[in-house]
Amino acid sequence: MQQAQSAPVVIENHGRREAVLVSSESFDRFIETTEELDDILAFDEALSEEGENARWDEVKSELGCV
């Protein structure tokens, strides 16, 4: 377990990778990065949709963010 604090530890079963043990900090960074990439993809998909786009200041106003 101490090894996982500095680098991922691969757990194998009969030579096949079964799991990877990482520190909680590494896991948190992985989750944050994945969520950020999901947001970027969703943004790109929204921009590629046909139709009229709303202005950002209008969206913020409608959501009560200003």
Side-chain angles (χ1 to χ4, degrees), residues 24-66:
S24 61
E25 292 84 12
S26 293
F27 179 76
D28 290 342
R29 283 194 310 272
F30 172 77
I31 294 300
E32 288 174 19
T33 301
T34 301
E35 289 172 349
E36 189 168 328
L37 289 173
D38 286 343
D39 290 344
I40 291 169
L41 288 172
F43 178 78
D44 289 345
E45 287 177 18
L47 283 181
S48 69
E49 291 179 3
E50 291 187 27
E52 189 174 324
N53 291 321
R55 292 184 23 214
W56 178 237
D57 57 339
E58 292 173 0
V59 172
K60 289 192 302 186
S61 178
E62 286 181 23
L63 294 174
C65 297
V66 277

Side-chain angles (χ1 to χ4, degrees), residues 5-29:
Q5 297 303 316
S6 59
V9 176
V10 176
I11 300 169
E12 295 182 350
N13 185 14
H14 300 290
R16 294 184 61 207
R17 184 171 58 180
E18 292 289 328
V20 179
L21 184 64
V22 296
S23 68
S24 61
E25 292 84 12
S26 293
F27 179 76
D28 290 342
R29 283 194 310 272

